[in-house]
Amino acid sequence: MGGGKGAVEAVELTGGRGAEPMAAGPPTTPDTRFWRDRPVFVTGATGFLGSHVTAMLVEAGADVVVLVRDDVPPTSQVKRWAGAASVVHGDVRDQALVERVLGEYRVDTVFHLAAQTQVEVANLNPVSTWDSNVRGTWSLLEAARRTPRIRTVVVASSDKAYGTQPALPYSEEMPLKALHPYDVSKACCDMVVSSYHAVFGVPASVTRCGNFFGPGDLNWDRLVPGTIRAVLRGERPVIRSDGSPVRDYLYVEDGALAYLCLAEAMAARPELAGEAFNFSTETPLSVIELTKMICRAAGVPDVEPDVRATARNEISAQHLSAQKARRVLGWAPRWTLAEALERTVDWYRGHLAATPD
């Protein structure tokens, strides 16, 4: 999964006789027949992506239990599922606790999304990030290994695991060349999943996505929410880099659908376990290009960003090929980037109007 000969063989397997592409069109909603009453465990459910995944599962009729470490004010997305999912308080690094939850709630499907996700926090506190992200992953997978009912485990990795590559876009057969602390934590998670699948047969796969954006993200240091808030307040958006870094941006609802799509496919085709899948709109943009798209979506196309060029240690370009997910899973994003940005701006407009400054 992490690259080299084994990863190349895995890609060939999913494209060949072992797993033909799905004949149906791209999934635009979860399969409620599949999810109804299915016992599902979600870590990281109060996070940005996790809150969307959990809400989507609850609304599809799944019997969801979530693991919550810290009590924080609920976002609008958490409120979509609060009261409808069972909540266990604890840390994903507590393997005995996770094993108890998997057994007592008779879980058969797991989404492991819990992680320390902030790059700057990882740069300041690498050990706590590695402990949370890497130890958290092996603790969950060890609990899954010891729980016979588990049929599917989907683990969140990241495009950051690829590091700097000689050619783009990133594809799943590339070796993982992460160097920075957060990136390394995700590459290690990938390898832990590979080991637990290859050696112990744990039915786990990983997802690699770019930068999520959409309703409910209140981390104003991120480019999309920070830019939207600035322009809706009549301010110039601040760009910390020089505006040139190229990145992938994926609407969070498309990301949540991708996770459920993968889990559905793994249940039908067990040979997909051990694989890695990129999910992307395949529309890479520079920071300045995305900022201008946001300004247009907000109806203020003439705003000039405040480009400060203070960011350091930026990889100049990171973007993904999603051809494997399209071919093997039949997945495609439901919304174009322009449509997703319009939906996102509308959500923030309502949120900011209802929130005191």
Side-chain angles (χ1 to χ4, degrees), residues 46-49 51-52 75-78 117-118 211-229 249-252 344 347-348 351-352:
T46 58
F48 177 38
L49 173 65
S51 61
H52 283 266
T75 66
S76 61
Q77 305 309 311
V78 171
T117 62
Q118 303 304 305
N211 299 292
F212 289 112
F213 71 92
D217 185 4
L218 301 182
N219 183 347
W220 304 110
D221 287 334
R222 291 193 180 118
L223 177 63
V224 174
T227 297
I228 293 174
R229 185 174 70 169
Y249 299 93
L250 183 62
Y251 187 47
V252 68
T344 302
W347 184 88
Y348 282 102
H351 173 79
L352 293 171

Side-chain angles (χ1 to χ4, degrees), residues 187-243:
C188 288
C189 290
D190 269 72
M191 298 306 294
V192 169
V193 173
S194 289
S195 180
Y196 266 90
H197 172 68
V199 178
F200 304 112
V202 174
S205 293
V206 301
T207 64
R208 298 176 187 149
C209 304
N211 299 292
F212 289 112
F213 71 92
D217 185 4
L218 301 182
N219 183 347
W220 304 110
D221 287 334
R222 291 193 180 118
L223 177 63
V224 174
T227 297
I228 293 174
R229 185 174 70 169
V231 298
L232 292 181
R233 288 178 171 178
E235 303 167 356
R236 294 175 64 195
V238 173
I239 295 176
R240 292 190 298 272
S241 69
D242 64 2

Side-chain angles (χ1 to χ4, degrees), residues 322-344:
Q323 291 306 301
K324 180 180 175 182
R326 292 176 186 271
R327 183 183 75 249
V328 176
L329 306 178
W331 177 85
R334 180 177 178 181
W335 292 275
T336 67
L337 190 58
E339 291 168 341
L341 286 172
E342 289 177 1
R343 291 169 62 90
T344 302

Side-chain angles (χ1 to χ4, degrees), residues 252-307:
V252 68
E253 292 285 338
D254 274 325
L257 279 169
Y259 275 71
L260 270 63
C261 172
L262 176 56
E264 292 169 16
M266 289 174 66
R269 293 180 287 165
E271 68 272 15
L272 295 180
E275 298 276 340
F277 289 90
N278 295 340
F279 294 100
S280 167
T281 60
E282 299 179 300
T283 311
L285 292 172
S286 70
V287 169
I288 195 71
E289 288 171 335
L290 181 66
T291 301
K292 290 181 177 180
M293 281 190 72
I294 294 170
C295 292
R296 289 195 295 273
V300 285
D302 297 327
V303 172
E304 283 297 320
D306 177 6
V307 181

Side-chain angles (χ1 to χ4, degrees), residues 40-58:
V40 181
F41 178 54
V42 182
T43 72
T46 58
F48 177 38
L49 173 65
S51 61
H52 283 266
V53 169
T54 305
M56 199 171 283
L57 287 165
V58 166

